[in-house]
Amino acid sequence: DSNQNDISIEDRSLSVAQMDAGLFFERELAKHYTQTLEPRLYYLNIPSVDQSSIPLFDTSVADFSFAQLFRENRFNGTDRFGDANQLTTALTSRIIDNRTGDERLIASIGQIHYFDDREVNLSGTAIQTDRSSDIASELVLRYSDWSYRLSLLHDTRTNDIEKGNFLYHY
């Protein structure tokens, strides 16, 4: 019977509500430089939907970083879509060279505040109950043809640096 090999396609619709708001302040720092101050709020709400009947093929937990603070899905891949009721608070400051428009220095810091437990997970992982994420920060310095980037994750529960990366590029 040919019907035995049919694959059923499940309903994959999911409501996503998000609001991204920020302000942009700037001031002249010196004759040829401008400094910005950019507070940002990002609210994300996605309901918890049982996805356990969908097989896991290529999905993994995304590596947490400053950029992860503003993603819709905490997973990589398309087999799982994470539930969320959370608010990200972040602050970025830049120093811009007015002559070239180049960003010479970028400093950013932010954290996610969770209002509900995260119930959607990968096989064998527990429900996430923390009320806030690690504090993610980045510092980027660009000078001439050189670029330096320092990224840190600060674990607020243990008050330790969870992860740090340093990259330089010519």
Side-chain angles (χ1 to χ4, degrees):
D1 184 28
S2 65
N3 291 338
Q4 291 176 337
N5 294 328
D6 288 348
I7 298 173
S8 67
I9 304 298
E10 295 195 29
D11 180 12
R12 294 296 307 252
S13 62
L14 192 62
S15 63
V16 175
Q18 57 185 334
M19 182 183 71
D20 195 348
L23 295 172
F24 184 87
F25 302 100
E26 67 177 42
R27 68 179 180 151
E28 293 300 314
L29 192 61
K31 185 175 181 180
H32 299 291
Y33 294 96
T34 299
Q35 179 186 16
T36 69
L37 187 64
E38 305 165 33
R40 182 177 176 185
L41 296 173
Y42 175 68
Y43 177 73
L44 179 63
N45 188 294
I46 302 170
S48 179
V49 174
D50 182 13
Q51 301 168 49
S52 60
S53 63
I54 302 169
L56 287 171
F57 292 107
D58 64 350
T59 297
S60 62
V61 177
D63 192 28
F64 193 69
S65 65
F66 186 79
Q68 183 70 17
L69 296 173
F70 306 101
R71 285 186 51 174
E72 277 185 6
N73 194 2
R74 67 180 177 271
F75 301 114
N76 291 321
T78 57
D79 304 322
R80 292 289 181 277
F81 208 88
D83 54 327
N85 185 12
Q86 65 192 41
L87 176 69
T88 297
T89 55
L91 183 65
T92 297
S93 182
R94 303 171 202 271
I95 295 180
I96 301 167
D97 185 330
N98 294 336
R99 296 166 291 192
T100 62
D102 293 338
E103 296 173 328
R104 295 294 180 195
L105 179 75
I106 306 167
S108 301
I109 190 167
Q111 184 177 33
I112 301 174
H113 307 278
Y114 303 107
F115 302 118
D116 293 327
D117 295 343
R118 277 83 55 226
E119 298 175 357
V120 175
N121 55 38
L122 302 181
S123 299
T125 58
I127 292 174
Q128 297 175 342
T129 60
D130 293 337
R131 292 289 144 223
S132 61
S133 71
D134 290 344
I135 296 174
S137 59
E138 281 189 340
L139 181 65
V140 178
L141 175 63
R142 295 186 180 117
Y143 180 74
S144 187
D145 292 332
W146 290 91
S147 174
Y148 306 89
R149 177 183 302 266
L150 175 65
S151 301
L152 296 173
L153 288 181
H154 178 261
D155 187 332
T156 56
R157 293 167 298 182
T158 63
N159 204 26
D160 290 329
I161 299 298
E162 182 75 20
K163 182 171 70 170
N165 291 318
F166 178 73
L167 170 75
Y168 68 94
H169 179 77
Y170 177 76

